Amino acid sequence: MKKLFIVANWKSHKTTSGAVEWLLFFKDRPIPEGKEIILCVPFTLLSVCAFFIHEHNLSFEVGSQDISLFEEGSYTGEINAGQIKEFADYVLLGHSEREKYFGETRDTVEKKAKQAQIVSLQTILCVPNAETAIPENTPIIAYEPPSAIGSGLPDTSDNAELVAIKIKNNQGVHVVLYGGSVTSENVASFTQSSHIDGVLVGKASLDPEEFLRIIEHA
Ligand code: PGA
């Protein structure tokens, strides 16, 4: 059976108490075998989530939602890959909201991916289509059509599968996830495809009960 990745993207949501409440929900609820759950949380919650998960032996991995394109140095306000690696093994890069609201270019994303590689942070790279260039050795791709993000209008599972196949064939990638309006109702339609290796979940990951249903139905 293939391993499924289920990635939560909390975006700019939750404070410490909300994060702890969310994590507490999973304390006595084991994660089914074969499912790797990665929580991409705001910078301010990385340490609290990492410590809580370790303390309570939860089966979650931690990821950040961005990193600096520079290494350590005089870059006020930036958080570099090495600083993230203290708490997390994953980083989400190239999310379309970074382009839409912060003008991030693919060139910048590529530089960030290089920084991630230097410290062995695993990149989950978001791409809007199968044609987007993917930096060499990127371990995980998340296909996210911008029209599906936060809209309640997910891609069809047939199209998502076609895009995943194209990405794998053309860009030599082995792990492709689907993201965009994933819920517990539609998750299985994506994960049942042998070419889709999991999902990236935004809004529906904020509610622990719904996120657990997604994990169970995937
Ligand atoms: P959504 O977000 O699940 O709320 O559509 C997905 C994402 O932006 O990664």
Side-chain angles (χ1 to χ4, degrees), residues 167-191:
I167 292 173
K168 286 183 178 182
N169 289 347
N170 300 348
Q171 313 228 37
V173 170
H174 300 297
V175 179
V176 177
L177 319 181
Y178 167 75
S181 297
V182 171
T183 64
S184 59
E185 308 265 293
N186 63 28
V187 65
S189 72
F190 297 104
T191 52

PDB file of all heavy atoms in Angstrom, residues 167-191:
ATOM      1  N   ILE A 167       3.021  15.642 -14.161  1.00  0.00           N
ATOM      2  CA  ILE A 167       4.129  16.132 -13.328  1.00  0.00           C
ATOM      3  C   ILE A 167       5.132  14.996 -13.096  1.00  0.00           C
ATOM      4  O   ILE A 167       6.342  15.178 -13.225  1.00  0.00           O
ATOM      5  CB  ILE A 167       3.610  16.682 -11.976  1.00  0.00           C
ATOM      6  CG1 ILE A 167       2.801  17.965 -12.217  1.00  0.00           C
ATOM      7  CG2 ILE A 167       4.756  16.953 -11.005  1.00  0.00           C
ATOM      8  CD1 ILE A 167       2.089  18.503 -10.980  1.00  0.00           C
ATOM      9  N   LYS A 168       4.612  13.826 -12.805  1.00  0.00           N
ATOM     10  CA  LYS A 168       5.517  12.695 -12.533  1.00  0.00           C
ATOM     11  C   LYS A 168       6.303  12.321 -13.784  1.00  0.00           C
ATOM     12  O   LYS A 168       7.517  12.106 -13.733  1.00  0.00           O
ATOM     13  CB  LYS A 168       4.727  11.494 -12.022  1.00  0.00           C
ATOM     14  CG  LYS A 168       4.258  11.697 -10.585  1.00  0.00           C
ATOM     15  CD  LYS A 168       3.526  10.485 -10.026  1.00  0.00           C
ATOM     16  CE  LYS A 168       3.135  10.732  -8.580  1.00  0.00           C
ATOM     17  NZ  LYS A 168       2.472   9.617  -7.939  1.00  0.00           N
ATOM     18  N   ASN A 169       5.616  12.253 -14.920  1.00  0.00           N
ATOM     19  CA  ASN A 169       6.292  11.832 -16.153  1.00  0.00           C
ATOM     20  C   ASN A 169       7.276  12.873 -16.664  1.00  0.00           C
ATOM     21  O   ASN A 169       8.368  12.539 -17.099  1.00  0.00           O
ATOM     22  CB  ASN A 169       5.269  11.543 -17.265  1.00  0.00           C
ATOM     23  CG  ASN A 169       4.500  10.271 -16.956  1.00  0.00           C
ATOM     24  OD1 ASN A 169       4.897   9.510 -16.066  1.00  0.00           O
ATOM     25  ND2 ASN A 169       3.399  10.058 -17.652  1.00  0.00           N
ATOM     26  N   ASN A 170       6.877  14.157 -16.614  1.00  0.00           N
ATOM     27  CA  ASN A 170       7.710  15.192 -17.245  1.00  0.00           C
ATOM     28  C   ASN A 170       8.804  15.720 -16.336  1.00  0.00           C
ATOM     29  O   ASN A 170       9.792  16.248 -16.808  1.00  0.00           O
ATOM     30  CB  ASN A 170       6.854  16.386 -17.696  1.00  0.00           C
ATOM     31  CG  ASN A 170       5.813  15.953 -18.705  1.00  0.00           C
ATOM     32  OD1 ASN A 170       5.886  14.843 -19.222  1.00  0.00           O
ATOM     33  ND2 ASN A 170       4.851  16.822 -18.984  1.00  0.00           N
ATOM     34  N   GLN A 171       8.588  15.635 -15.023  1.00  0.00           N
ATOM     35  CA  GLN A 171       9.545  16.316 -14.148  1.00  0.00           C
ATOM     36  C   GLN A 171      10.250  15.361 -13.192  1.00  0.00           C
ATOM     37  O   GLN A 171      10.948  15.800 -12.276  1.00  0.00           O
ATOM     38  CB  GLN A 171       8.827  17.426 -13.353  1.00  0.00           C
ATOM     39  CG  GLN A 171       7.934  18.278 -14.254  1.00  0.00           C
ATOM     40  CD  GLN A 171       8.140  19.769 -14.045  1.00  0.00           C
ATOM     41  OE1 GLN A 171       9.244  20.225 -13.820  1.00  0.00           O
ATOM     42  NE2 GLN A 171       7.062  20.524 -14.131  1.00  0.00           N
ATOM     43  N   GLY A 172      10.057  14.079 -13.393  1.00  0.00           N
ATOM     44  CA  GLY A 172      10.790  13.087 -12.597  1.00  0.00           C
ATOM     45  C   GLY A 172      10.521  13.167 -11.102  1.00  0.00           C
ATOM     46  O   GLY A 172      11.406  12.932 -10.281  1.00  0.00           O
ATOM     47  N   VAL A 173       9.281  13.508 -10.759  1.00  0.00           N
ATOM     48  CA  VAL A 173       8.905  13.623  -9.346  1.00  0.00           C
ATOM     49  C   VAL A 173       8.160  12.350  -8.945  1.00  0.00           C
ATOM     50  O   VAL A 173       7.455  11.757  -9.760  1.00  0.00           O
ATOM     51  CB  VAL A 173       7.977  14.855  -9.174  1.00  0.00           C
ATOM     52  CG1 VAL A 173       7.373  14.892  -7.807  1.00  0.00           C
ATOM     53  CG2 VAL A 173       8.737  16.131  -9.472  1.00  0.00           C
ATOM     54  N   HIS A 174       8.309  11.920  -7.684  1.00  0.00           N
ATOM     55  CA  HIS A 174       7.648  10.674  -7.276  1.00  0.00           C
ATOM     56  C   HIS A 174       6.420  10.889  -6.394  1.00  0.00           C
ATOM     57  O   HIS A 174       5.563  10.031  -6.296  1.00  0.00           O
ATOM     58  CB  HIS A 174       8.637   9.779  -6.529  1.00  0.00           C
ATOM     59  CG  HIS A 174       9.815   9.424  -7.370  1.00  0.00           C
ATOM     60  ND1 HIS A 174       9.692   8.686  -8.520  1.00  0.00           N
ATOM     61  CD2 HIS A 174      11.124   9.743  -7.258  1.00  0.00           C
ATOM     62  CE1 HIS A 174      10.884   8.546  -9.084  1.00  0.00           C
ATOM     63  NE2 HIS A 174      11.769   9.199  -8.328  1.00  0.00           N
ATOM     64  N   VAL A 175       6.377  12.055  -5.719  1.00  0.00           N
ATOM     65  CA  VAL A 175       5.263  12.279  -4.793  1.00  0.00           C
ATOM     66  C   VAL A 175       4.508  13.543  -5.196  1.00  0.00           C
ATOM     67  O   VAL A 175       5.066  14.642  -5.199  1.00  0.00           O
ATOM     68  CB  VAL A 175       5.775  12.419  -3.336  1.00  0.00           C
ATOM     69  CG1 VAL A 175       4.622  12.681  -2.387  1.00  0.00           C
ATOM     70  CG2 VAL A 175       6.537  11.165  -2.917  1.00  0.00           C
ATOM     71  N   VAL A 176       3.236  13.380  -5.549  1.00  0.00           N
ATOM     72  CA  VAL A 176       2.407  14.534  -5.934  1.00  0.00           C
ATOM     73  C   VAL A 176       1.117  14.508  -5.121  1.00  0.00           C
ATOM     74  O   VAL A 176       0.386  13.504  -5.108  1.00  0.00           O
ATOM     75  CB  VAL A 176       2.076  14.537  -7.445  1.00  0.00           C
ATOM     76  CG1 VAL A 176       1.159  15.714  -7.794  1.00  0.00           C
ATOM     77  CG2 VAL A 176       3.351  14.616  -8.286  1.00  0.00           C
ATOM     78  N   LEU A 177       0.848  15.624  -4.447  1.00  0.00           N
ATOM     79  CA  LEU A 177      -0.381  15.765  -3.665  1.00  0.00           C
ATOM     80  C   LEU A 177      -1.350  16.664  -4.420  1.00  0.00           C
ATOM     81  O   LEU A 177      -0.955  17.414  -5.306  1.00  0.00           O
ATOM     82  CB  LEU A 177      -0.074  16.408  -2.297  1.00  0.00           C
ATOM     83  CG  LEU A 177       1.184  15.975  -1.547  1.00  0.00           C
ATOM     84  CD1 LEU A 177       1.272  16.711  -0.210  1.00  0.00           C
ATOM     85  CD2 LEU A 177       1.201  14.473  -1.329  1.00  0.00           C
ATOM     86  N   TYR A 178      -2.613  16.599  -4.010  1.00  0.00           N
ATOM     87  CA  TYR A 178      -3.600  17.552  -4.541  1.00  0.00           C
ATOM     88  C   TYR A 178      -4.035  18.486  -3.412  1.00  0.00           C
ATOM     89  O   TYR A 178      -4.222  18.041  -2.264  1.00  0.00           O
ATOM     90  CB  TYR A 178      -4.847  16.826  -5.092  1.00  0.00           C
ATOM     91  CG  TYR A 178      -5.947  17.846  -5.322  1.00  0.00           C
ATOM     92  CD1 TYR A 178      -5.881  18.714  -6.415  1.00  0.00           C
ATOM     93  CD2 TYR A 178      -6.984  18.026  -4.395  1.00  0.00           C
ATOM     94  CE1 TYR A 178      -6.823  19.719  -6.581  1.00  0.00           C
ATOM     95  CE2 TYR A 178      -7.926  19.029  -4.561  1.00  0.00           C
ATOM     96  CZ  TYR A 178      -7.836  19.866  -5.650  1.00  0.00           C
ATOM     97  OH  TYR A 178      -8.755  20.877  -5.810  1.00  0.00           O
ATOM     98  N   GLY A 179      -4.192  19.773  -3.721  1.00  0.00           N
ATOM     99  CA  GLY A 179      -4.713  20.717  -2.733  1.00  0.00           C
ATOM    100  C   GLY A 179      -5.688  21.687  -3.371  1.00  0.00           C
ATOM    101  O   GLY A 179      -5.567  22.047  -4.547  1.00  0.00           O
ATOM    102  N   GLY A 180      -6.672  22.129  -2.565  1.00  0.00           N
ATOM    103  CA  GLY A 180      -7.679  23.084  -3.022  1.00  0.00           C
ATOM    104  C   GLY A 180      -9.063  22.599  -2.673  1.00  0.00           C
ATOM    105  O   GLY A 180      -9.584  21.685  -3.306  1.00  0.00           O
ATOM    106  N   SER A 181      -9.630  23.178  -1.580  1.00  0.00           N
ATOM    107  CA  SER A 181     -10.993  22.845  -1.137  1.00  0.00           C
ATOM    108  C   SER A 181     -11.178  21.357  -0.839  1.00  0.00           C
ATOM    109  O   SER A 181     -12.237  20.776  -1.123  1.00  0.00           O
ATOM    110  CB  SER A 181     -12.024  23.322  -2.162  1.00  0.00           C
ATOM    111  OG  SER A 181     -11.991  24.735  -2.274  1.00  0.00           O
ATOM    112  N   VAL A 182     -10.154  20.740  -0.257  1.00  0.00           N
ATOM    113  CA  VAL A 182     -10.293  19.342   0.165  1.00  0.00           C
ATOM    114  C   VAL A 182     -11.100  19.296   1.459  1.00  0.00           C
ATOM    115  O   VAL A 182     -10.894  20.104   2.376  1.00  0.00           O
ATOM    116  CB  VAL A 182      -8.898  18.697   0.393  1.00  0.00           C
ATOM    117  CG1 VAL A 182      -9.031  17.321   1.036  1.00  0.00           C
ATOM    118  CG2 VAL A 182      -8.136  18.600  -0.929  1.00  0.00           C
ATOM    119  N   THR A 183     -12.036  18.365   1.536  1.00  0.00           N
ATOM    120  CA  THR A 183     -12.848  18.153   2.737  1.00  0.00           C
ATOM    121  C   THR A 183     -12.931  16.646   3.005  1.00  0.00           C
ATOM    122  O   THR A 183     -12.491  15.841   2.175  1.00  0.00           O
ATOM    123  CB  THR A 183     -14.293  18.662   2.548  1.00  0.00           C
ATOM    124  OG1 THR A 183     -14.890  17.871   1.510  1.00  0.00           O
ATOM    125  CG2 THR A 183     -14.346  20.135   2.166  1.00  0.00           C
ATOM    126  N   SER A 184     -13.565  16.298   4.139  1.00  0.00           N
ATOM    127  CA  SER A 184     -13.732  14.871   4.428  1.00  0.00           C
ATOM    128  C   SER A 184     -14.668  14.211   3.413  1.00  0.00           C
ATOM    129  O   SER A 184     -14.636  13.007   3.215  1.00  0.00           O
ATOM    130  CB  SER A 184     -14.258  14.674   5.847  1.00  0.00           C
ATOM    131  OG  SER A 184     -15.492  15.328   5.993  1.00  0.00           O
ATOM    132  N   GLU A 185     -15.500  15.028   2.775  1.00  0.00           N
ATOM    133  CA  GLU A 185     -16.444  14.483   1.790  1.00  0.00           C
ATOM    134  C   GLU A 185     -15.768  14.114   0.464  1.00  0.00           C
ATOM    135  O   GLU A 185     -16.171  13.164  -0.184  1.00  0.00           O
ATOM    136  CB  GLU A 185     -17.523  15.525   1.459  1.00  0.00           C
ATOM    137  CG  GLU A 185     -18.226  16.107   2.651  1.00  0.00           C
ATOM    138  CD  GLU A 185     -19.502  15.372   2.952  1.00  0.00           C
ATOM    139  OE1 GLU A 185     -20.417  15.465   2.126  1.00  0.00           O
ATOM    140  OE2 GLU A 185     -19.571  14.704   4.008  1.00  0.00           O
ATOM    141  N   ASN A 186     -14.778  14.930   0.073  1.00  0.00           N
ATOM    142  CA  ASN A 186     -14.200  14.681  -1.260  1.00  0.00           C
ATOM    143  C   ASN A 186     -12.803  14.070  -1.228  1.00  0.00           C
ATOM    144  O   ASN A 186     -12.249  13.733  -2.278  1.00  0.00           O
ATOM    145  CB  ASN A 186     -14.206  15.974  -2.103  1.00  0.00           C
ATOM    146  CG  ASN A 186     -13.328  17.082  -1.509  1.00  0.00           C
ATOM    147  OD1 ASN A 186     -12.357  16.804  -0.834  1.00  0.00           O
ATOM    148  ND2 ASN A 186     -13.673  18.331  -1.776  1.00  0.00           N
ATOM    149  N   VAL A 187     -12.198  13.941  -0.042  1.00  0.00           N
ATOM    150  CA  VAL A 187     -10.785  13.526   0.007  1.00  0.00           C
ATOM    151  C   VAL A 187     -10.541  12.172  -0.671  1.00  0.00           C
ATOM    152  O   VAL A 187      -9.559  11.992  -1.399  1.00  0.00           O
ATOM    153  CB  VAL A 187     -10.238  13.546   1.458  1.00  0.00           C
ATOM    154  CG1 VAL A 187     -10.922  12.521   2.345  1.00  0.00           C
ATOM    155  CG2 VAL A 187      -8.728  13.332   1.476  1.00  0.00           C
ATOM    156  N   ALA A 188     -11.465  11.241  -0.464  1.00  0.00           N
ATOM    157  CA  ALA A 188     -11.244   9.895  -1.013  1.00  0.00           C
ATOM    158  C   ALA A 188     -11.230   9.907  -2.538  1.00  0.00           C
ATOM    159  O   ALA A 188     -10.526   9.111  -3.165  1.00  0.00           O
ATOM    160  CB  ALA A 188     -12.313   8.939  -0.501  1.00  0.00           C
ATOM    161  N   SER A 189     -11.985  10.835  -3.143  1.00  0.00           N
ATOM    162  CA  SER A 189     -12.009  10.874  -4.606  1.00  0.00           C
ATOM    163  C   SER A 189     -10.617  11.181  -5.154  1.00  0.00           C
ATOM    164  O   SER A 189     -10.274  10.765  -6.256  1.00  0.00           O
ATOM    165  CB  SER A 189     -13.036  11.896  -5.114  1.00  0.00           C
ATOM    166  OG  SER A 189     -12.581  13.210  -4.873  1.00  0.00           O
ATOM    167  N   PHE A 190      -9.813  11.916  -4.377  1.00  0.00           N
ATOM    168  CA  PHE A 190      -8.444  12.217  -4.825  1.00  0.00           C
ATOM    169  C   PHE A 190      -7.466  11.107  -4.436  1.00  0.00           C
ATOM    170  O   PHE A 190      -6.671  10.651  -5.245  1.00  0.00           O
ATOM    171  CB  PHE A 190      -7.971  13.556  -4.239  1.00  0.00           C
ATOM    172  CG  PHE A 190      -8.800  14.716  -4.728  1.00  0.00           C
ATOM    173  CD1 PHE A 190      -9.749  15.318  -3.905  1.00  0.00           C
ATOM    174  CD2 PHE A 190      -8.668  15.184  -6.019  1.00  0.00           C
ATOM    175  CE1 PHE A 190     -10.533  16.367  -4.357  1.00  0.00           C
ATOM    176  CE2 PHE A 190      -9.442  16.245  -6.490  1.00  0.00           C
ATOM    177  CZ  PHE A 190     -10.377  16.831  -5.650  1.00  0.00           C
ATOM    178  N   THR A 191      -7.548  10.666  -3.183  1.00  0.00           N
ATOM    179  CA  THR A 191      -6.523   9.718  -2.707  1.00  0.00           C
ATOM    180  C   THR A 191      -6.725   8.309  -3.264  1.00  0.00           C
ATOM    181  O   THR A 191      -5.813   7.493  -3.183  1.00  0.00           O
ATOM    182  CB  THR A 191      -6.493   9.659  -1.167  1.00  0.00           C
ATOM    183  OG1 THR A 191      -7.809   9.410  -0.677  1.00  0.00           O
ATOM    184  CG2 THR A 191      -5.977  10.967  -0.586  1.00  0.00           C
TER     185      THR A 191
END
